[in-house]
Amino acid sequence: MAVALVTGGTRGIGKQIALTLAKNGYDIAINYRTENEELKNLKEQIEQENVKCLTVKGDVSIFEDCENFVKETVDNLGSIDVLVNNAGITKDMLIMRMKKEDFEQVIDVNLVGTFNVTKNVIPYMMKARSGNIVNISSVVGISGNAGQTNYSASKAGIIGFTKSLAKEVASRNIRVNAVAPGFIETSMTDSLKDEIKEEIAKNIPLKRMGKPEDVANVVKFLVSEDSSYITGQVINIDGGMLM
Ligand code: NDP
């Protein structure tokens, strides 16, 4: 059975990716930082799909944590065939008010975290001579966004990382792609006022915010054989916001 490791899988987009891949027959390892009731329910939901579900604790910004939870996954599930680097945070602020720590924290989780997990997973994929990595970037990593110098820099960094790694490991039959979601309804965007959400939706060509399923379905495609000739790409999932 193929194994997928999803970071930050306790809620939102990561949770939906874990569920969707489970429905497609993958054994799932969910990395989490904070244990919550949702995680227990998710594990039960995944196991109802007749696949295994392992939950592995660790902060992606801490290299040793990643070393440990990657090893725990391989020890328990046998391999890692798919890695989805999903864990991410925002700390939005105009640069005039942004503290150095606010910048560093976002880079540490989103970009360095992606490196930390990938660095620990890649030796197994190299040995297996196959693998699939999907990194969750963002449209603001391409377009930029006022108030998000830290976040958009981290997400732009993920795009460069994706393309460079795709070139490094293609000869070993390892594909590396990124997705760039627009506004997706999760706890990350919950704090926006309803009027602001309506205003955002008005300016999206498809006239709605996205759902975690919209992202999970593209990730499912990117890790499947249906996309076997695609690597080093960034796919926008944004209702046409950025063309
Ligand atoms: P949520 O805030 O709903 O979920 C984020 C997840 O990441 C949580 O499970 C969180 O766990 C986990 N996480 C955060 N920091 C760490 C860490 N250091 N180590 C391990 N896990 C961590 O966000 P979304 O589901 O909306 O976002 C998922 C990804 O999609 C992110 O990378 C985000 O940047 C990206 N994205 C989201 C968009 C949106 O509109 N929602 C748009 C574009 C991109 P915990 O409970 O411990 O905080």
Side-chain angles (χ1 to χ4, degrees):
M1 189 85 85
V3 176
L5 168 63
V6 182
T7 67
T10 55
R11 53 190 154 87
I13 294 171
K15 174 184 172 179
Q16 189 56 47
I17 291 171
L19 264 174
T20 301
L21 295 182
K23 280 185 201 301
N24 279 270
Y26 287 88
D27 284 338
I28 305 290
I30 299 173
N31 151 255
Y32 67 96
R33 183 178 57 170
T34 325
E35 195 159 2
N36 61 12
E37 205 51 41
E38 218 172 324
L39 182 62
K40 277 191 208 140
N41 295 338
L42 176 60
K43 184 171 159 59
E44 282 170 19
Q45 238 180 312
I46 286 177
E47 284 167 347
Q48 278 165 15
E49 301 296 332
N50 290 321
V51 295
K52 290 183 193 153
C53 181
L54 179 75
T55 57
V56 288
K57 190 173 169 62
D59 182 330
V60 297
S61 67
I62 301 172
F63 190 82
E64 293 71 29
D65 279 14
C66 301
E67 241 176 336
N68 292 335
F69 72 70
V70 165
K71 187 171 182 310
E72 198 182 335
T73 302
V74 176
D75 287 351
N76 283 279
L77 299 178
S79 64
I80 297 177
D81 307 282
V82 165
L83 166 64
V84 183
N85 282 306
N86 165 80
I89 57 166
T90 51
K91 271 187 178 283
D92 299 351
M93 234 165 295
L94 296 173
I95 198 157
M96 288 295 281
R97 260 184 256 136
M98 190 180 288
K99 296 195 188 80
K100 188 166 178 277
E101 301 84 70
D102 300 322
F103 190 87
E104 283 173 347
Q105 253 187 339
V106 171
I107 298 287
D108 277 354
V109 173
N110 298 4
L111 181 57
V112 182
T114 297
F115 167 81
N116 287 344
V117 184
T118 307
K119 165 84 183 156
N120 282 293
V121 167
I122 212 83
Y124 296 105
M125 290 185 169
M126 295 287 259
K127 204 164 166 223
R129 289 187 166 268
S130 76
N132 236 306
I133 300 175
V134 179
N135 297 321
I136 312 295
S137 178
S138 165
V139 284
V140 306
I142 302 165
S143 64
N145 195 23
Q148 292 197 306
T149 50
N150 49 3
Y151 184 74
S152 54
S154 74
K155 295 298 185 178
I158 285 176
I159 293 174
F161 178 84
T162 299
K163 293 182 179 180
S164 300
L165 184 64
K167 288 184 176 178
E168 273 186 39
V169 298
S171 63
R172 297 290 182 112
N173 192 32
I174 302 169
R175 295 190 293 117
V176 191
N177 289 290
V179 294
F183 282 96
I184 309 296
E185 283 171 349
T186 68
S187 52
M188 194 175 265
T189 47
D190 259 1
S191 55
L192 294 172
K193 290 195 187 111
D194 283 347
E195 307 91 87
I196 295 181
K197 283 188 193 168
E198 279 164 27
E199 201 49 44
I200 289 169
K202 253 194 235 163
N203 292 315
I204 296 173
L206 288 178
K207 300 292 175 215
R208 66 167 178 91
M209 307 251 303
K211 296 187 186 320
E213 288 84 346
D214 293 317
V215 180
N217 288 332
V218 178
V219 172
K220 177 183 82 177
F221 166 69
L222 285 174
V223 304
S224 76
E225 274 308 291
D226 290 343
S227 63
S228 60
Y229 204 47
I230 297 179
T231 196
Q233 302 305 306
V234 184
I235 300 190
N236 296 1
I237 309 167
D238 64 355
M241 259 169 73
L242 200 70
M243 293 191 194

